[in-house]
Amino acid sequence: MKTLKISYIFLILPLILGIIGLTEAQIPMSDALFYSFSMYFVAYEGPAYNYYVEAARWLAPIMTFSSVLMFFSYYRQRIYNYIKYQRNDSVVLYGNAELCSIIKQSLNNPIIETEDFEFVKAHRYILCGAEEENLLFYENHKEKLRDKKVYIQCETLCSQLISNDNVKLFNMNEISARLYWNKFDIKKILANIKDAHIVLIGFGNLGKEIILQALQNNIFDPGQHITYDVFGEEEHFTSIYSSLANISDTVVFYDHWESHLDLINKADVVIVCEQNNQLSIIQTLLMQTTINEIEVFADNPSIYDLLSEQNRLNIFDFKQLALTKENIFNERTLDVAKRLNLRYAHLYNNVEENEVNKELEWNKLDTFTKYSNISSTDYHVTRLKLIQDWDLNNLTDERIDYLAHLEHIRWSRYHYLSNWKYGIPANGKNKDPKQKIHIDLIPYEKLSKVEKDKDRDTVKLLLEFK
């Protein structure tokens, strides 16, 4: 819009110069106005009385030609956008230019172009600017966006707090952490599962998500104990997640990783997620430690190309990997979670399994329970790693029970990380969301047969989706 306003000023400049020059030459104002307009169409045949008129005669046709190009360019984009909108999968992106550029690489949808945060019609909206800017845009256009799919980059708000199914929060750090653990080679810690140590250098929002996703996905054995040694500012992590003590794995915070090189050398896994002075940190680790592999969450992977010991680095290009259509829309995971919920409804309430009921049953759930199903679907990647050498056509009851036990641990951790605790609700039901208590937040061995069967059914159903 600024460009257009500046262009309008230049457009009327020949008119102003023409009027000034002709009135100085004693031409009546009405004639001066007419002659000045005619200059835009090369129709002025009078003399050049002075420099003002001469300048106007040359500038006016140039401005005419420029304005035609300007308006054609302006309306051409609007026409292209209108054509793209006629398809049902058009997308418009707002916000950070770098993030938008990365996201565009994975989109095969028609992309509607716009400047800044100007509202345009589309079927999906991806907002990846500053959080306040994203939320303000949504608030200002809430009615127009009511039936649209809106994806908002947000690190502060929790997805479980959003009740509108058309609005999805996506957190680049959360997606990155989940993808990392999905790709993680579990053999690195399985041999030492009773006393494994994973070191994290750096914390902040990215480190927090790495720990939270680890606690929900790194569940390999009922008797495991993994210690996450974190070098970074705690930022009230343990006070916010007050039920961490109920989880068998522990999170320990330290200052100054340089003073704990012995601990780092003995760790099963070392992850660097600190972005400030990252190259310096990596150089020190390469020179001062004997770690065979260092996992690096790198914003700019190319800076490590020249390091002599780069073979000791596992570079995780977290932005490039996280910001894809599949991860932002997350439609497959959501569909599996809905099918999982529908299977529950079929098994326990005789609901027929079809597409209509899949949506109806899903919409009956509160947001917290929806994300519990999504969490279970996410964890399935880890489950498949654990059973990759099993004969899935001949699963014994013992093995199903083993996987059900792990599923119960996963379910419990999901609740603990939302600060739920064991309790017997006064209403006689299994849970009380207001009090954040659940009767089944107990060891798997103490569950009733009905509840164990639910975990077994979850495992069996997800194995069908392998």
Side-chain angles (χ1 to χ4, degrees), residues 138 158-169 362-363 365-368 370-371:
Y138 177 76
C158 176
S159 299
Q160 297 167 9
L161 299 177
I162 305 299
S163 57
N164 185 342
D165 278 348
N166 283 333
V167 178
K168 310 290 183 187
L169 300 185
W362 183 254
N363 291 331
L365 301 178
D366 58 74
T367 309
F368 181 80
K370 287 178 180 178
Y371 275 89

Side-chain angles (χ1 to χ4, degrees), residues 247-360:
I247 296 175
S248 61
D249 299 333
T250 54
V251 182
V252 183
F253 285 87
Y254 299 86
D255 293 325
H256 310 301
W257 62 270
E258 300 93 335
S259 304
H260 295 83
L261 293 180
D262 284 346
L263 187 154
I264 293 173
N265 272 320
K266 294 175 183 177
D268 298 279
V269 180
V270 175
I271 303 169
V272 178
C273 69
E274 178 61 61
Q275 299 302 304
N276 294 328
N277 300 315
Q278 189 181 81
L279 182 58
S280 175
I281 294 172
I282 297 301
Q283 286 179 325
T284 303
L285 288 171
L286 289 174
M287 290 188 296
Q288 301 295 328
T289 71
T290 57
I291 311 164
N292 290 326
E293 292 182 345
I294 302 170
E295 311 284 328
V296 184
F297 278 70
D299 186 12
N300 182 13
S302 61
I303 64 174
Y304 297 107
D305 289 346
L306 297 177
L307 291 183
S308 61
E309 293 189 82
Q310 61 174 287
N311 59 309
R312 291 170 63 191
L313 304 179
N314 288 332
I315 304 298
F316 190 73
D317 189 355
F318 69 101
K319 284 186 181 179
Q320 198 75 33
L321 292 170
L323 296 176
T324 66
K325 171 183 176 178
E326 290 75 18
N327 293 323
I328 294 172
F329 295 171
N330 205 22
E331 290 174 338
R332 185 184 182 281
T333 300
L334 183 60
D335 182 65
V336 174
K338 288 180 178 180
R339 290 163 66 188
L340 177 63
N341 179 64
L342 180 60
R343 177 59 59 90
Y344 281 145
H346 173 71
L347 292 175
Y348 300 103
N349 296 311
N350 295 316
V351 175
E352 183 181 350
E353 294 184 86
N354 56 47
E355 287 299 310
V356 173
N357 285 337
K358 183 179 76 174
E359 298 301 324
L360 289 175

Side-chain angles (χ1 to χ4, degrees), residues 418-434:
S418 297
N419 290 333
W420 283 58
K421 58 186 177 182
Y422 168 77
I424 302 175
N427 58 14
K429 295 184 177 180
N430 282 1
K431 63 181 178 180
D432 183 341
K434 291 183 179 179

Side-chain angles (χ1 to χ4, degrees), residues 11 56 78 84 118 123 205 247 310 347 358 386 425 447:
L11 182 62
R78 289 179 171 244
K84 292 174 183 176
E118 177 189 2
H123 296 91
N205 287 327
I247 296 175
Q310 61 174 287
L347 292 175
K358 183 179 76 174
L386 286 170
L447 288 176

Side-chain angles (χ1 to χ4, degrees), residues 160 215-217 219 246-247 340 344 368-377 379 383 403-423 430-432 436-444 447 451-452 454-455 458:
Q160 297 167 9
L215 292 172
Q216 292 179 81
N217 289 288
I219 304 169
N246 294 307
I247 296 175
L340 177 63
Y344 281 145
F368 181 80
T369 307
K370 287 178 180 178
Y371 275 89
S372 180
N373 280 278
I374 292 172
S375 171
S376 180
T377 305
Y379 173 69
R383 184 183 293 117
L403 295 177
H405 193 159
L406 298 183
E407 170 59 21
H408 178 67
I409 294 173
R410 194 278 321 157
W411 176 89
S412 298
R413 290 189 179 191
Y414 173 79
H415 283 74
Y416 289 141
L417 291 172
S418 297
N419 290 333
W420 283 58
K421 58 186 177 182
Y422 168 77
N430 282 1
K431 63 181 178 180
D432 183 341
K436 287 195 170 184
I437 58 175
H438 202 297
I439 198 171
D440 291 323
L441 282 171
I442 56 178
Y444 180 75
L447 288 176
E451 295 304 322
K452 286 182 178 179
K454 286 183 180 179
D455 288 325
T458 298

